[in-house]
Amino acid sequence: MTDVLQFTLALARTAGELIVTERAGAALTLELKNGNELVTNADLSADNLICQRIAQRFPDHHILSEESSPNLGNIQDLTLPVWIIDPIDGTVNFAHGHNHSAVSIAFVEDGQIEVGVVFNPFTDEMFSARRGGGAFLNGETIRVAEETELSRAIIATGFPYEKSGIAPMITRLHAVLANCADIRRLGSAALDICFLAMGRMDGYYESLSLWDFAAAQLIAREAGAETGHFSPVPGGMDPQFYDRDILMANPVLFPKLLALLEAAQ
Ligand code: LIP
């Protein structure tokens, strides 16, 4: 698995360098997919690079990628290894010139996320983990914060592009703001979760797509976070791949945040 990790680290860095160059160069081209979801030419270029390199090295592996193969079906049913790709997590940030975006690559084998890499090329922050091997930022071990009080906790969250279901999210946001120190909405789930892993955040909750959190979830777990959901996981669904009502925090805050979010209906 070390070879896979080294391959993934190098690939994330190459893709990260590409998106920096693309944004610095000719004007970005922006499109709306699904009517409300921003995608840039840099997303597509990075996706193409990542998928080509994986296909060259691992031709029989599956790829679940936000931009080129978003509908792979239930990856629990796949017997061959699966790569889960978000070429730019935080696309809206990226398109607006913010430097809070990341390349996210996860590797799944035998139903387990074995390798996770999240790279922010604007800050040169490479978050990585191998299952059972710990979590790292630029090669240095990272751990979740040891905050135990909700009243002192900084909680990250986010909101979907489709706003029709926003009302219950505002109810939950009210509960979190009333009981925690503050919230942060930074615009990249992968980086939010990696910030949790290294103690810059104390908790995180959101509903996403698998490619937004697959890599970062492993990094957070290896850094000591408890991960789960504040609503029931459908029967037969592996929780690590379930993308609704995700909750992550250190083991002391997790049950406190869970109770708060479950009660905020
Ligand atoms: C984004 C997530 C973010 C979420 C946004 C969007 P994208 O991913 O990272 O946390 O709130 O709605 O899903 O679209 O930039 O890859």
Side-chain angles (χ1 to χ4, degrees):
M1 204 53 67
T2 303
D3 286 350
V4 169
L5 174 60
Q6 294 309 316
F7 168 81
T8 308
L9 288 165
L11 183 53
R13 183 169 295 280
T14 302
E17 291 164 355
L18 173 64
I19 69 173
V20 170
T21 303
E22 295 259 303
R23 192 170 80 176
L28 278 180
T29 56
L30 309 180
E31 293 174 18
L32 277 185
K33 62 182 179 181
N34 311 324
N36 56 14
E37 203 169 332
L38 199 58
V39 61
T40 74
N41 57 307
D43 290 87
L44 302 179
S45 302
D47 180 72
N48 187 46
L49 167 79
I50 293 167
C51 293
Q52 275 193 358
R53 294 284 176 90
I54 291 170
Q56 285 166 357
R57 176 79 177 268
F58 307 102
D60 61 341
H61 289 190
H62 297 288
I63 297 177
L64 170 66
S65 173
E66 178 178 11
E67 304 309 342
S68 55
S69 51
N71 303 308
L72 196 63
N74 186 341
I75 69 170
Q76 293 172 225
D77 300 333
L78 300 174
T79 52
L80 290 170
V82 185
W83 293 81
I84 303 174
I85 313 294
D86 190 343
I88 303 179
D89 185 68
T91 294
V92 174
N93 284 350
F94 177 83
H96 286 78
H98 302 201
N99 290 342
H100 194 75
S101 302
V103 176
S104 178
I105 303 174
F107 174 73
V108 179
E109 188 168 46
D110 297 331
Q112 293 296 335
I113 303 176
E114 292 291 349
V115 169
V117 171
V118 175
F119 178 52
N120 182 342
F122 301 101
T123 61
D124 194 26
E125 290 184 320
M126 180 76 79
F127 297 90
S128 65
R130 192 160 46 85
R131 188 165 69 97
F136 302 89
L137 167 56
N138 294 344
E140 297 295 322
T141 298
I142 55 176
R143 296 290 299 176
V144 292
E146 296 181 356
E147 183 55 67
T148 59
E149 298 299 323
L150 279 183
S151 59
R152 293 201 298 268
I154 303 293
I155 309 300
T157 191
F159 307 96
Y161 293 105
E162 173 48 55
K163 297 292 189 298
S164 59
I166 197 88
M169 298 177 200
I170 299 304
T171 303
R172 285 192 286 269
L173 189 64
H174 182 276
V176 171
L177 283 169
N179 292 278
C180 300
D182 206 345
I183 65 118
R184 292 291 183 271
R185 198 289 190 251
L186 299 180
S188 165
L191 289 176
D192 287 343
I193 298 167
C194 287
F195 280 20
L196 169 70
M198 65 171 296
R200 287 179 184 161
M201 299 287 185
D202 299 304
Y204 169 81
Y205 73 96
E206 190 173 1
S207 290
L208 293 164
S209 297
L210 182 53
W211 45 73
D212 294 319
F213 71 93
Q217 176 182 243
L218 176 66
I219 294 165
R221 282 179 172 163
E222 289 295 322
E226 185 167 346
T227 65
H229 301 80
F230 54 89
S231 66
V233 175
M237 182 82 200
D238 185 329
Q240 69 180 318
F241 301 130
Y242 185 53
D243 60 8
R244 303 291 90 192
D245 297 340
I246 295 162
L247 173 61
M248 302 186 194
N250 72 39
V252 174
L253 283 181
F254 185 91
K256 296 178 179 180
L257 263 177
L258 177 62
L260 186 66
L261 293 168
E262 285 179 332
Q265 302 295 338

